Amino acid sequence: MSHSQNSNRPLEIFGLKSDLIHPGDDIFSKIKVAFSRADVFPKDSDIFVIAESALATAENRVAHLSTIQPSAKALEFEKLYQIDAREAELVIRESDVIFGGVFGVLLTLKNGLLCPNAGIDNSNAPNDCVILYPENPTKSAREIAKFILDEFGVSVGVIVADSRTQPLRLGCTGVAIGAAGFLATVDKRGETDLFGRPLSVTRVAVADNLASAAEAVMGESNESTPFALIRNANAVFDSEAFGITTISPEECMYWGVLSKSEKEP
Amino acid sequence: MSHSQNSNRPLEIFGLKSDLIHPGDDIFSKIKVAFSRADVFPKDSDIFVIAESALATAENRVAHLSTIQPSAKALEFEKLYQIDAREAELVIRESDVIFGGVFGVLLTLKNGLLCPNAGIDNSNAPNDCVILYPENPTKSAREIAKFILDEFGVSVGVIVADSRTQPLRLGCTGVAIGAAGFLATVDKRGETDLFGRPLSVTRVAVADNLASAAEAVMGESNESTPFALIRNANAVFDSEAFGITTISPEECMYWGVLSKSEKEP
């Protein structure tokens, strides 16, 4: 494990454009072309960020709504939450858990991560199609890290990035749904504050901070910037590290408060 | 209003160190010294980020726990959530709303923003003290923008940054609790995806993404980097713009799902 040694240099984030990614495209080839076009190449301890929709499209994770037969439960979700029953059916099939819904959205766990609609997205998909979540974002992150090592001879971290709303706030921020090559969460419990006392903020979600940083250059619409490269990130690199750490509803402040708020004094 | 015109240059984030900030210190002077020491100076359309704890300390928003007399309700919170009754008393006084609690934390609105314990923080505060939230973070952000304009002749955006956990995820990410000089949230509802269809992600929380990006260089512990400067951010600058946009519990997916999850099919 090594910390990057660049405390005096700025953190830098390069947006890397791509032409349109079609279902089944070779993502490694798209990444290679994007580096060449931007004339920016990865170095050791950079972090490469890929938008989940680009990865999922290349992985052929595209579903045609016209082929989906909604179940009784999907039709019930359509009535309750005004979500297309065929999309609801896909959410049922794709999710680990459905916590419930609001207008247009089912809140789910997918691969253990909290996300709306099991990560199913109907923007940036061809007509009548929706893009499912990447099959296994962290596995793909590890494969991309290996591709970059083989192709460029450098060891990088990789983040698969998505967008998420935060409680009671307008707008989406970046979130990491897959990671490899660095510690996605850094534990600061042994460290002290400016006055030598234990910290109250004890863990930093490094991967989520960097996914948000990358979103500032990647865009959400027809901007065609599905990749970013982050340099001089204050991350702990470890080629064996992978994955995103989650917590259970029992450990979550929001769950804890909101699911028992009627019991308050 | 103007977009920054730097799409080919990387986004850059400089961490700016400071010596210890004491209650009542002149924050403008600390900022000026930090720029000089780093030999990094603001340019037009940069975004300056300040940690809320540094701002609050300079604003003398420090409370001595030994002087606080807990009310009956504070003592009840202590019993229910194992939170120091004097700190609970401060949370009661400082918050607009208390939604409830879990072990060690009350979930509150403060100045309309969701935060744990009304933003009261007991790290990086002198002994027996806690640091309250800045009095009015967006007002302070506007004052800092004006100071930087007066001192350096350039027009920048300013973010007052804090940390927050996200639902079911381990670790904190950056969040903006005050903003000035740029649009904290960008509305993409008029834009289309790669296939010309309306976007499903319609608003981007630019200020939160940039606060998270800055947290990647600022640190949470005894790292003494309370300021950051972001260059080439893809933000919409407007010297008249200020504030953070929130949504009501009725508009929030998490609130909607978690507070009625027993009604699910």
Side-chain angles (χ1 to χ4, degrees), chain A:
Chain A
M1 285 205 289
S2 64
H3 264 88
S4 55
Q5 299 283 330
N6 301 302
S7 60
N8 288 326
R9 285 187 240 161
L11 182 147
E12 294 180 313
I13 310 175
F14 301 87
L16 305 171
K17 290 184 189 296
S18 175
D19 51 13
L20 198 56
I21 294 170
H22 297 95
D25 276 352
D26 175 14
I27 196 69
F28 299 145
S29 154
K30 293 284 179 184
I31 292 169
K32 194 176 157 184
V33 169
F35 279 127
S36 283
R37 283 202 193 148
D39 199 25
V40 170
F41 296 95
K43 297 184 183 176
D44 276 319
S45 301
D46 282 353
I47 291 181
F48 179 80
V49 185
I50 178 170
E52 64 81 18
S53 57
L55 177 62
T57 303
E59 286 180 351
N60 232 335
R61 295 274 296 157
V62 175
H64 294 263
L65 289 179
S66 57
T67 68
I68 306 297
Q69 189 62 45
S71 60
K73 195 166 184 184
L75 291 164
E76 199 173 342
F77 283 139
E78 182 174 68
K79 254 188 236 160
L80 279 169
Y81 307 124
Q82 294 75 52
I83 179 172
D84 184 312
R86 300 163 307 169
E87 210 173 317
E89 177 59 31
L90 284 170
V91 174
I92 293 166
R93 294 182 196 173
E94 287 283 320
S95 57
D96 317 332
V97 178
I98 299 177
F99 292 109
V102 292
F103 182 87
V105 183
L106 294 165
L107 186 63
T108 62
L109 281 189
K110 166 70 177 171
N111 295 334
L113 300 181
L114 186 69
C115 56
N117 294 334
I120 294 167
D121 188 4
N122 48 22
S123 30
N124 294 321
N127 230 346
D128 178 54
C129 290
V130 294
I131 305 182
L132 311 178
Y133 244 13
E135 185 74 41
N136 183 334
T138 285
K139 182 164 173 278
S140 299
R142 299 181 81 184
E143 289 167 356
I144 291 169
K146 185 178 179 313
F147 164 73
I148 290 175
L149 179 63
D150 292 345
E151 183 70 26
F152 299 100
V154 295
S155 193
V156 301
V158 176
I159 292 170
V160 179
D162 193 9
S163 287
R164 194 82 77 252
T165 56
Q166 296 179 76
L168 299 196
R169 295 183 75 92
L170 186 66
C172 287
T173 55
V175 66
I177 65 163
F182 70 105
L183 302 187
T185 313
V186 169
D187 191 337
K188 301 224 160 196
R189 280 176 298 174
E191 297 184 27
T192 56
D193 70 13
L194 292 167
F195 295 88
R197 297 182 313 183
L199 288 177
S200 62
V201 170
T202 54
R203 289 188 185 86
V204 178
V206 174
D208 287 336
N209 276 334
L210 295 176
S212 293
E215 193 175 90
V217 305
M218 291 167 78
E220 279 289 338
S221 56
N222 54 359
E223 293 161 44
S224 309
T225 309
F227 313 127
L229 189 71
I230 304 178
R231 185 155 293 162
N232 301 330
N234 183 23
V236 181
F237 290 91
D238 176 353
S239 58
E240 300 300 309
F242 60 89
I244 303 294
T245 316
T246 59
I247 57 176
S248 67
E250 291 70 34
E251 299 170 287
C252 175
M253 172 179 72
Y254 303 103
W255 243 259
V257 171
L258 296 177
S259 60
K260 60 168 185 163
S261 53
E262 68 277 17
K263 296 179 207 152
E264 288 323 300

Side-chain angles (χ1 to χ4, degrees), chain B residues 8-227:
Chain B
N8 288 327
R9 285 187 240 161
L11 182 146
E12 294 179 314
I13 311 175
F14 302 87
L16 304 171
K17 291 184 187 298
S18 174
D19 52 14
L20 198 56
I21 294 170
H22 295 96
D25 276 352
D26 176 13
I27 195 70
F28 298 144
S29 155
K30 293 284 179 185
I31 292 170
K32 195 176 156 183
V33 169
F35 279 127
S36 283
R37 283 201 194 151
D39 198 26
V40 170
F41 296 96
K43 297 183 181 177
D44 276 318
S45 302
D46 282 353
I47 291 182
F48 179 80
V49 184
I50 178 171
E52 64 81 18
S53 57
L55 177 63
T57 303
E59 285 180 352
N60 231 335
R61 295 272 296 154
V62 176
H64 295 262
L65 287 179
S66 58
T67 68
I68 306 298
Q69 189 61 44
S71 61
K73 194 165 184 183
L75 291 165
E76 198 172 343
F77 282 139
E78 182 174 65
K79 253 189 238 162
L80 279 169
Y81 308 123
Q82 293 76 51
I83 179 171
D84 184 312
R86 301 164 306 169
E87 209 174 317
E89 178 60 30
L90 284 170
V91 174
I92 293 167
R93 293 182 196 172
E94 287 283 319
S95 58
D96 317 333
V97 177
I98 298 177
F99 291 109
V102 290
F103 182 86
V105 182
L106 294 164
L107 186 63
T108 62
L109 281 188
K110 166 71 178 172
N111 295 333
L113 300 182
L114 186 68
C115 56
N117 294 335
I120 294 168
D121 188 5
N122 48 23
S123 30
N124 294 320
N127 229 345
D128 178 54
C129 290
V130 293
I131 305 182
L132 310 178
Y133 244 13
E135 185 72 41
N136 183 335
T138 285
K139 181 164 174 279
S140 299
R142 299 180 82 183
E143 289 166 358
I144 291 169
K146 186 179 179 311
F147 164 73
I148 290 175
L149 180 64
D150 292 347
E151 184 70 26
F152 299 99
V154 296
S155 194
V156 301
V158 176
I159 292 171
V160 179
D162 194 9
S163 287
R164 194 83 77 251
T165 55
Q166 297 180 75
L168 300 197
R169 295 183 75 92
L170 185 68
C172 287
T173 56
V175 66
I177 65 163
F182 71 105
L183 302 187
T185 313
V186 170
D187 192 336
K188 301 225 160 194
R189 280 177 298 174
E191 298 184 27
T192 55
D193 70 13
L194 292 167
F195 295 86
R197 298 182 312 184
L199 288 178
S200 62
V201 169
T202 53
R203 290 187 184 85
V204 177
V206 174
D208 288 336
N209 276 334
L210 295 175
S212 293
E215 193 175 89
V217 306
M218 292 166 78
E220 280 290 338
S221 56
N222 54 359
E223 294 161 42
S224 308
T225 309
F227 313 127

